[in-house]
């Protein structure tokens, strides 16, 4: 009995020490709000506020949010910050006016205690306003954009993007194009404008496509924002191809931006948007000429890629005729575009390049791959014939380049192994349009077979292939080496394109929002892995399209 009594006494002492005179249930927000109001020192209040945050995550007190909101006034900055964070977890939008009223930007960006606490509070308020998702928060967030603390400004920018309120476009556009602030803040503003996806953001985003500062480009953020804004962007981009906006042309000239650079980047974005209204202008770019050979080919290649993505049948003839171009990288891009378009009439012309005696293996190999990804059993004989003569051609190239026998044999072994891998995509025994057969091939261990299967399903126009294609997109890139990962990534990209083509043909995803969530989580999980960075932007774009639908 004496031991038990001692334990009870100790528990009572601890309770007095921890809770003071506050009574009630410590699992409720009311208990901790009352305790904060009763405590006298800032240290005690901050400790209680930390407990409040934990309790608020699961608390169901009637009127609890109103009680917590009362702490936004007449409390130390860190207590206000904790209260704001707790309100975000509680999810009650009714407290948005109180959060807006609690904004205080009277202090600067100093390191003194009071200023730091005020900025902590402002950051937490901004984060919570974005989390609650009520457009009534916009005035408070616009006020926070004027803070002298960059971290607070960034939180406010992020929150405005989350709210997707067009009322924030003007202020965010000013920040996006402000050359006097940190480039990271500019980028955040561009990203928020993309989230809002209002056409009113286009002038600012358009400018930032070509802006560079201290060697830093804003193209990645701006081009993604262009995609998020969607089809309203197409008219602007077509205007760039035509040169029909004298104001932009003058700005580009003043900033030393070359015409070829504008055309190449514009073609790339039009390929992402996949808007057929741009087809005629993109076709013209296939014959674009520039004094700068690099820009000439960059423009032609981006135009070819865009036309391939939109499966332009009008591009088949010019792309086939361009297979004799002197630039190998360009010709390989043209063949890739032909694979996307999927017009079988181009296969015969490509097949002739597999054993072309004057062509390098870098070009011949792309021809092998293209025939394997587009051809049928009829092309198998030509493939085998070319393959059987490949060792002789490769040996000749080794001698011409003065490569030793051992190194030459190693290269021949490596190349022929890849050609055998490609051949598997030609020998699937699946008929064109057979969804069940090609769907099964999406599980094949050979990534080129999976690439072929995805392309065939995308070309089929059949909506019942969507589910299997989504599974293929989510398949991990876990190859043993970089080459293996690249091949897996190619298969993933083919599946992404296939989904776009099926959506273009009128297919509907059964749970578009749910799939968008999964894809965004996939990007987040993979963002630290260099191997998956190639397809991450395309996965993100697909998620945007699904949400838009």
């Amino acid at each position: 009995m004496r031991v038990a009594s001692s334990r009870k006494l100790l528990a009572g002492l601890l309770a007095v020490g921890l809770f003071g005179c506050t009574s009630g249930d410590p699992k409720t927000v009311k208990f901790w709000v009352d305790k904060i109001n009763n405590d006298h020192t800032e240290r005690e209040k901050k400790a209680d506020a930390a407990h409040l945050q934990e309790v608020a995550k699961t608390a169901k007190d009637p009127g609890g949010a109103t009680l917590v909101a009362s702490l936004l006034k007449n409390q130390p900055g860190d207590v206000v910050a904790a209260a704001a964070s707790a309100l975000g977890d509680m999810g009650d939008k009714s407290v948005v006016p109180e959060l807006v009223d609690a904004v205080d930007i009277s202090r600067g960006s100093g390191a003194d205690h009071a200023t730091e606490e005020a900025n902590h509070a402002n950051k937490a308020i901004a984060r919570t306003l974005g989390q609650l998702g009520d457009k009534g928060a916009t005035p408070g967030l616009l006020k926070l954009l004027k803070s002298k603390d960059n971290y607070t400004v960034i939180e406010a920018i992020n929150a405005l993007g989350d709210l997707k309120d067009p009322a924030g476009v003007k202020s965010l556009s000013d920040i996006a194009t402000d050359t006097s602030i940190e480039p990271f803040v500019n980028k955040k503003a561009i990203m928020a404008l993309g989230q809002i996806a209002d056409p009113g953001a286009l002038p600012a985003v358009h400018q930032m496509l070509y802006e560079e500062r201290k060697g830093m480009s804003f193209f990645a953020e701006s081009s993604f924002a262009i995609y998020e804004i969607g089809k309203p962007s197409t008219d602007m981009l077509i205007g760039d191809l035509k040169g029909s906006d004298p104001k932009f042309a003058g700005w580009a000239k003043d900033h030393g931006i070359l015409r070829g650079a504008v055309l190449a980047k514009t073609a790339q974005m039009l390929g992402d948007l996949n808007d057929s209204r741009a087809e005629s202008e993109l076709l013209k770019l296939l014959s674009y000429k520039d004094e700068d050979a690099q820009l000439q080919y960059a423009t032609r290649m981006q135009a070819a890629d865009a036309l391939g993505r939109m499966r332009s049948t009008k591009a088949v003839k010019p792309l086939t005729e361009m297979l004799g171009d002197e630039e190998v990288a360009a010709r390989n891009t043209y063949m890739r575009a032909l694979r996307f378009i999927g017009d079988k009439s181009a296969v015969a012309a490509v097949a002739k390049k597999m054993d072309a005696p004057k062509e390098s293996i870098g070009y011949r190999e792309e021809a092998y791959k293209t025939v394997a990804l587009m051809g049928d059993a009829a092309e198998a004989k030509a493939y085998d014939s070319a393959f059987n003569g490949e060792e002789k051609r490769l040996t000749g190239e080794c001698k011409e380049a003065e490569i030793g026998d051992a190194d030459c044999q190693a290269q021949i072994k490596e190349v022929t192994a890849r050609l055998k891998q490609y051949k598997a995509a030609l020998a699937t025994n699946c008929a064109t349009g057979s969804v069940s057969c090609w769907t099964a091939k999406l599980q094949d261990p050979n990534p080129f077979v999976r690439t072929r299967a995805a392309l065939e399903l995308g070309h089929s126009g059949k909506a019942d292939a969507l589910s299997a294609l989504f599974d293929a997109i989510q398949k991990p890139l876990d190859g043993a080496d970089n080459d293996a990962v690249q091949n897996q990534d190619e298969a993933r990209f083919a599946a992404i394109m296939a989904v776009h083509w099926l959506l273009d043909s009128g297919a509907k995803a059964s749970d578009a929002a749910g799939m968008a969530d999964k894809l965004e989580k996939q990007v987040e999980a993979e963002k630290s892995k260099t191997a998956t960075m190639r397809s991450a932007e395309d996965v993100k774009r697909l998620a945007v399209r699904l949400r838009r639908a």
Side-chain angles (χ1 to χ4, degrees):
M1 291 294 294
R2 182 174 295 179
V3 173
S5 298
S6 298
R7 286 176 177 171
K8 287 181 181 179
L9 178 62
L10 178 60
L13 290 171
L14 285 173
V16 171
L18 180 60
F19 301 143
C21 298
T22 304
S23 61
D25 184 357
K27 294 181 180 179
T28 64
V29 295
K30 183 180 185 306
F31 178 90
W32 293 105
V33 170
D34 289 345
K35 190 167 189 316
I36 290 169
N37 285 324
N38 289 335
D39 282 335
H40 299 293
T41 70
E42 182 174 333
R43 182 177 180 180
E44 290 173 332
K45 289 176 182 287
K46 287 170 66 173
D48 294 341
H51 287 293
L52 172 64
Q53 281 185 270
E54 286 301 312
V55 170
K57 292 176 182 178
T58 56
K60 302 294 181 184
D61 307 27
T66 301
L67 285 172
V68 176
S70 68
L71 299 175
L72 297 172
K73 292 182 178 180
N74 304 319
Q75 293 290 349
D78 281 346
V79 173
V80 174
S85 297
L87 290 170
D89 290 330
M90 296 175 81
D92 188 337
K93 296 182 181 184
S94 68
V95 298
V96 165
E98 286 92 333
L99 285 161
V100 171
D101 287 344
V103 169
D104 178 10
I105 58 169
S106 60
R107 294 184 176 274
S109 57
D112 61 282
H113 180 68
T115 299
E116 284 187 342
E117 286 213 351
N119 288 331
H120 290 168
N122 284 332
K123 282 185 290 184
I125 290 169
R127 194 179 304 116
T128 294
L129 289 173
Q131 191 175 346
L132 293 176
D134 189 308
K135 288 185 172 61
T138 299
L141 293 170
L142 293 177
K143 183 178 179 181
L144 285 169
L145 291 181
K146 298 176 182 178
S147 170
K148 295 178 182 178
D149 176 62
N150 271 351
Y151 297 105
T152 299
V153 172
I154 288 169
E155 288 292 353
I157 289 171
N158 291 341
L160 285 166
D162 290 337
L163 290 186
K164 297 178 172 55
D165 188 350
V169 167
K170 173 64 171 64
S171 296
L172 289 170
S173 295
D174 290 342
I175 292 174
T177 55
D178 188 343
T179 59
S180 68
I181 61 179
E182 288 295 322
F184 182 73
V185 181
N186 298 127
K187 291 188 175 209
K188 283 291 186 179
I190 295 167
M191 292 164 69
L193 288 170
Q195 285 180 275
I196 296 171
D198 186 270
L202 281 173
V205 175
H206 188 210
Q207 175 181 327
M208 297 309 290
L209 283 167
Y210 303 98
E211 187 82 50
E212 287 194 7
R213 198 173 312 146
K214 300 177 182 177
M216 182 178 290
S217 169
F218 302 88
F219 181 77
E221 295 79 14
S222 300
S223 60
F224 190 75
I226 288 284
Y227 185 83
E228 290 178 295
I229 294 169
K231 288 193 181 295
S233 305
T234 301
D235 291 330
M236 177 195 73
L237 295 173
I238 292 175
D240 287 350
L241 296 186
K242 292 180 176 180
S244 56
D245 183 350
K247 183 178 179 181
F248 172 69
W251 179 88
K253 183 178 180 181
D254 291 343
H255 286 75
I257 300 167
L258 299 175
R259 176 70 176 153
V262 172
L263 295 177
K265 288 184 176 182
T266 301
Q268 178 181 336
M269 289 181 285
L270 286 168
D272 290 332
L273 288 166
N274 190 19
D275 191 329
S276 60
R277 289 181 294 160
E279 183 181 34
S280 60
E281 292 300 321
L282 290 168
L283 286 167
K284 294 176 186 176
L285 291 185
L286 292 179
S287 56
Y288 174 70
K289 293 183 179 179
D290 197 298
E291 293 179 356
D292 186 327
Q294 186 174 355
L295 283 178
Q296 175 175 301
Y297 279 111
T299 300
R300 291 183 181 184
M301 290 162 69
Q302 292 293 356
D305 184 68
L307 290 163
R309 288 183 179 221
M310 64 177 59
R311 299 194 64 209
S312 168
T313 55
K314 293 181 179 178
V316 173
K317 186 174 184 293
L319 286 172
T320 303
E321 292 172 349
M322 294 164 70
L323 294 179
D325 201 308
E326 63 183 17
E327 179 60 44
V328 171
R331 288 182 292 183
N332 289 350
T333 299
Y334 307 152
M335 282 193 276
R336 182 170 180 262
L338 288 169
R339 299 199 294 265
F340 288 162
I341 297 169
D343 190 321
K344 307 283 187 181
S345 67
V347 177
V350 176
K352 293 178 180 177
K353 305 297 181 181
M354 291 189 295
D355 57 358
K358 295 182 179 179
E359 298 291 358
S360 68
I361 184 56
Y363 183 46
R364 295 199 307 275
E365 185 172 338
E366 195 71 20
Y368 278 108
K369 181 192 288 188
T370 301
V371 170
L373 294 175
M374 291 182 69
D376 296 313
E379 280 73 45
K381 185 176 180 180
Y383 194 101
D384 289 340
S385 175
F387 179 81
N388 290 336
E390 197 55 57
E391 184 170 349
K392 182 178 179 180
R393 286 189 292 274
L394 289 170
T395 300
E397 288 181 11
C398 285
K399 289 181 179 179
E400 187 175 342
E402 298 182 348
I403 297 174
D405 289 343
D407 289 338
C408 183
Q409 288 303 310
Q411 289 184 24
I412 291 173
K413 183 178 180 180
E414 183 180 325
V415 170
T416 54
R418 287 199 298 270
L419 300 186
K420 287 178 182 178
Q421 270 195 301
Y422 302 154
K423 174 67 184 297
L426 184 59
T428 59
N429 295 317
C430 288
T432 299
S434 175
V435 171
S436 60
C437 187
W438 289 115
T439 296
K441 294 299 180 184
L442 287 175
Q443 304 297 324
D444 197 280
N446 185 317
F448 302 108
V449 174
R450 299 201 299 272
T451 298
R452 171 76 187 259
L455 294 175
E456 292 284 349
L457 290 169
H459 295 159
S460 74
K462 297 180 180 178
D464 47 350
L466 277 175
S467 178
L469 287 166
F470 281 128
D471 288 344
I473 292 168
Q474 296 173 86
K475 183 179 176 64
L477 305 183
D478 54 5
D481 54 39
N482 191 55
D483 287 341
V485 171
Q486 284 184 335
N487 295 337
Q488 292 175 345
D489 193 54
E490 184 175 354
R492 175 185 282 184
F493 182 72
I496 292 169
M497 292 309 305
V499 171
H500 280 296
W501 296 332
L502 292 178
L503 295 176
D504 290 341
S505 66
K508 303 290 184 183
S510 59
D511 180 12
M515 181 50 64
D517 285 340
K518 288 182 180 179
L519 295 178
E520 287 168 352
K521 288 177 182 176
Q522 175 182 332
V523 171
E524 186 66 22
E526 294 181 345
K527 69 179 183 180
S528 62
K529 301 175 183 178
T530 305
T532 60
M533 289 174 64
R534 303 178 191 90
S535 61
E537 289 296 305
D538 297 296
V539 174
K540 285 169 60 179
R541 281 175 169 80
L542 181 54
V544 169
R545 178 168 185 176
L546 291 170
R547 290 203 183 284
R548 190 180 291 145

